Amino acid sequence: MSDSNEPMPLRRLGQTDLKITPVGFGAWALGGGDWAAGWGAQDDEASIAAIRHAVEHHGVNWIDTAAVYGLGRSETVVGEALRRMRPDARPFIFTKGGLIWDEANPQAFPARVGRPDSLRYEVEASLSRLGIERIDLYQMHWPAQDGTPLEAYWQVLLDLKAEGKVRAVGLSNHNPAQLAAAEALGHVDTLQPPFSAIERGAAETVLPWCEAHGTGVIVYSPLQAGLLSGGFTEDRASQLGADDWRSRSDNFQGESLRRNLALAEAFRAIATRRAVPVPAVAIAWVLSWSAVTGAIVGARSPAQVDGWVPGAYLSLSPPELDEIAAAIQETGAGRGPARTAI
């Protein structure tokens, strides 16, 4: 339960029977730094403590992970956290497939593979690492690049749902045309796009499509990998290790970094007035878009969870949304629409 003494509100995920909290625990960083898109060294016990704190103390009822995060490590850590929980406290588990890594070269970027036999193997491997009998939401992580047509890999996911291996199926990082092609075969339960006050492109592309088709949306990187957390600085960016993908990201360098941090300061002003941590404002901003069902927020410690959970309860006023839109325009941070229409 949250420190607010109120149960965290629930939202129906698209047309599924899943009712999820507005924030979910993102397990990307729990994979550590020993792979191509790692976040640097991470202690597994700290990861487990963060998961349990989010679920058991705050009432967060879903975890988003992926087979590729840490090349299986994130799912394994999530599985261990589940084993340490009471059965009635188990959260929904969302994971993703379609990225195949080379065990002999873990620093190589994984291949985007959509072959039906490969996806079926991946689902079984994920179930084993997670220690569960059914995945609540299974998503294709990226469009395949191995020549497999979208219709072929989407049909596999639909079949897995019909067979009871997974409860709901979705796509991640797919565009409106790809969503439409999948929808023609069977309903797209969910979409997982990147979305934050810095990376706003989804608001003019996939969010309208999802809203029109009853597809639930769980957005990732609402804090833009920490840039909107209120704790990031130019000095910290300069000290990111080579095993942290952010050290190679344009958002963490030069003028882009300065613009992004200036926007974070605008969030700080609202957070101070509302007596909430800065991350809560960034989360509330993405949740203000009507198409967004939930926000995936990463944490590597219980303290980080405490920083963003209040965003599930915070509703930004129209003047505050105007204030953020003005700050986006003034700083020139990111791209895309600066304000929700409502």
Side-chain angles (χ1 to χ4, degrees):
M1 195 65 64
S2 169
D3 290 334
S4 72
N5 295 319
E6 297 178 26
M8 193 173 287
L10 298 176
R11 299 177 170 194
R12 185 182 179 193
L13 184 57
Q15 298 175 1
T16 74
D17 62 355
L18 299 170
K19 293 183 178 179
I20 65 171
T21 49
V23 291
F25 187 99
W28 180 3
L30 308 193
D34 298 327
W35 66 295
W39 290 69
Q42 174 66 12
D43 178 75
D44 289 348
E45 286 301 318
S47 298
I48 292 168
I51 291 171
R52 296 189 66 184
H53 188 67
V55 174
E56 298 174 340
H57 183 71
H58 286 296
V60 173
N61 78 346
W62 54 290
I63 298 172
D64 180 84
T65 184
V68 78
Y69 296 160
L71 313 185
R73 179 177 171 187
S74 176
E75 286 187 333
T76 300
V77 169
V78 170
E80 178 58 30
L82 294 177
R83 282 187 284 276
R84 299 187 193 182
M85 292 179 188
R86 302 187 320 271
D88 61 348
R90 176 191 175 278
F92 298 129
I93 302 300
F94 303 167
T95 193
K96 299 177 286 292
L99 294 180
I100 303 299
W101 59 90
D102 181 353
E103 296 282 1
N105 187 11
Q107 291 301 327
F109 275 93
R112 299 181 185 179
V113 176
R115 289 195 331 271
D117 63 320
S118 181
L119 282 172
R120 286 187 169 276
Y121 175 85
E122 283 195 78
V123 166
E124 295 298 333
S126 288
L127 287 167
S128 177
R129 284 189 292 263
L130 291 163
I132 58 179
E133 295 182 356
R134 181 176 65 168
I135 294 165
D136 294 298
L137 171 63
Y138 195 70
Q139 305 151 93
M140 186 68 176
H141 209 148
W142 286 90
Q145 294 182 331
D146 65 338
T148 303
L150 179 146
E151 291 81 1
Y153 64 73
W154 183 241
Q155 187 61 57
V156 175
L157 269 63
L158 294 173
D159 291 345
L160 288 166
K161 180 179 176 181
E163 294 162 15
K165 289 283 187 182
V166 304
R167 188 170 175 179
V169 288
L171 297 170
S172 179
N173 300 302
H174 283 62
N175 63 35
Q178 293 162 335
L179 288 166
E183 186 75 9
L185 282 179
H187 184 54
V188 180
D189 290 325
T190 67
L191 176 71
Q192 183 177 143
F195 190 53
S196 74
I198 293 171
E199 179 55 68
R200 305 180 301 275
E204 57 189 355
T205 55
V206 292
L207 294 191
W209 189 96
C210 290
E211 195 156 30
H213 291 83
T215 292
V217 177
I218 51 173
V219 302
Y220 72 87
S221 291
L223 300 181
Q224 201 59 47
L227 285 170
L228 297 174
S229 68
F232 219 89
T233 63
E234 289 190 58
D235 183 60
R236 184 177 171 192
S238 70
Q239 296 179 31
L240 292 172
D243 60 351
D244 189 325
W245 69 270
R246 295 174 295 178
S247 66
R248 301 179 293 278
S249 168
D250 290 343
N251 269 328
F252 288 80
Q253 299 175 30
E255 185 60 25
S256 290
L257 174 63
R258 287 186 284 275
R259 291 175 185 272
N260 294 336
L261 294 180
L263 179 57
E265 285 304 306
F267 280 40
R268 187 186 307 279
I270 296 173
T272 299
R273 292 198 304 270
R274 298 293 293 273
V276 296
V278 174
V281 180
I283 300 304
W285 186 88
V286 301
L287 293 174
S288 73
W289 295 77
S290 58
V292 175
T293 313
I296 302 164
V297 200
R300 303 170 75 164
S301 68
Q304 288 184 347
V305 174
D306 292 338
W308 49 255
V309 158
Y313 301 88
L314 180 64
S315 179
L316 297 173
S317 68
E320 287 170 332
L321 292 171
D322 288 340
E323 183 178 344
I324 292 170
I328 288 171
Q329 296 295 338
E330 182 178 345
T331 61
R335 62 180 184 85
R339 194 193 190 290
T340 176
I342 59 172

